[in-house]
Amino acid sequence: MLSYFEDLPEKEDLLQDSDCCGNGCTNCILDNKPRPSKRVLLAGKRNVILSYTKFRLLRRQTLESGSDGQVLLLHFAHAAEEDGEGAEDTVLDIPPGHHVMMRVGSLLRPYSPYWSDFVAKEFRILVKLQPEGPMSRHLQAVQPNDLLEFRGPIGQYVHEPQPAKCIYIIAQGVAIAPTLPLVRQVLDNEDDMSRLWHLVCARDLQHVYFREEMLEFAQFWNYRSCLYLPHQQCDSPACQEAGHCAQECPQLRSNLRYKETAKVSRLDASELGNHLNPAIPGQRVLIVAGDSRFQKIMAQFAMQSLDVDPANIYML
Ligand SMILES: Cc1cc2nc3c(=O)[nH]c(=O)nc-3n(C[C@H](O)[C@H](O)[C@H](O)COP(=O)(O)OP(=O)(O)OC[C@H]3O[C@@H](n4cnc5c(N)ncnc54)[C@H](O)[C@@H]3O)c2cc1C
């Protein structure tokens, strides 16, 4: 079996300022050096993504193409043929809550996989293209078979199943993607008695991604979700006049599936307090996925309304 230090090439220890994407990520690569995990060490293999490695685009799917930009689903596989010998001694480990850095020339941008396969060395990301964004321009043009470079995993979140916790996961828009592995990690472990509240903020129902996955999660006793859709608007005259649907709008209700709960409002401190459930024991943990402004606001709301210890707040 490889020891920790054998698995960590010396050059990985020497992170330079230029390895940071400059986006002000909460979990900057300079403070969260990609390291081999226990899982990789136990497998006696090398994590193929610890240094920049080529991945081939297998699939590109456009999920949305509207006035507020395009959303792409990109599925990558390790390009073993580019890696020379030893590719069979590698795995791909991107733990839940961790992101990877994409590099195109000198341009670096972080992305958070929502699915990865340890043995097949594949992963998927959901990308919202930003108008005028340099990486967005590049991704707009990528096609299946193209090679792109990634490095990681970067992050600090670690979930301990015991003792059972009350975990609040708040996601904004496409940033719901990296929260899926966090939910699966709890639900897939029968011995994990932690409870999950998955609170998803989006413009409207059309901008809620992964509804199917959330419906699957809803079959578990320890999972609850709520959608916050402040701009939900159907074509009824009353909702058109109000600028958004009423909470009890029949069209909205008919578009919701079994066990889906939605509110036509923003998630604020008082609404967050409705999920407190003080009778349920367990340490409160908050995980926020979204842009930095959203993360800061939600952390403040949670400290006020859920009594979460700042030490148990994680920003993805
Ligand atoms: C830890 C981390 C993980 C991320 N994971 C993902 C991911 O899985 N999928 C994804 O699509 N993006 C993700 N991002 C954002 C991503 O890294 C890029 O910023 C984004 O793809 C745009 O890159 P760009 O070079 O085209 O534009 P940039 O030059 O980065 O941005 C162009 C403009 O868009 C704004 N902008 C950038 N991102 C957002 C956003 N999310 N919401 C609102 N405005 C924004 C910027 O402030 C800027 O004004 C993540 C960011 C961080 C910090």
Side-chain angles (χ1 to χ4, degrees), residues 26-42:
T26 315
N27 297 302
C28 174
I29 189 170
L30 300 181
D31 310 317
N32 296 271
K33 187 166 50 181
R35 290 175 178 283
S37 65
K38 266 194 210 150
R39 190 180 178 203
V40 171
L41 294 175
L42 282 172

Side-chain angles (χ1 to χ4, degrees), residues 126 170-179 289-291 316:
L126 195 67
I170 306 181
Q172 177 196 35
V174 288
I176 186 178
T179 69
D291 63 34
L316 297 191

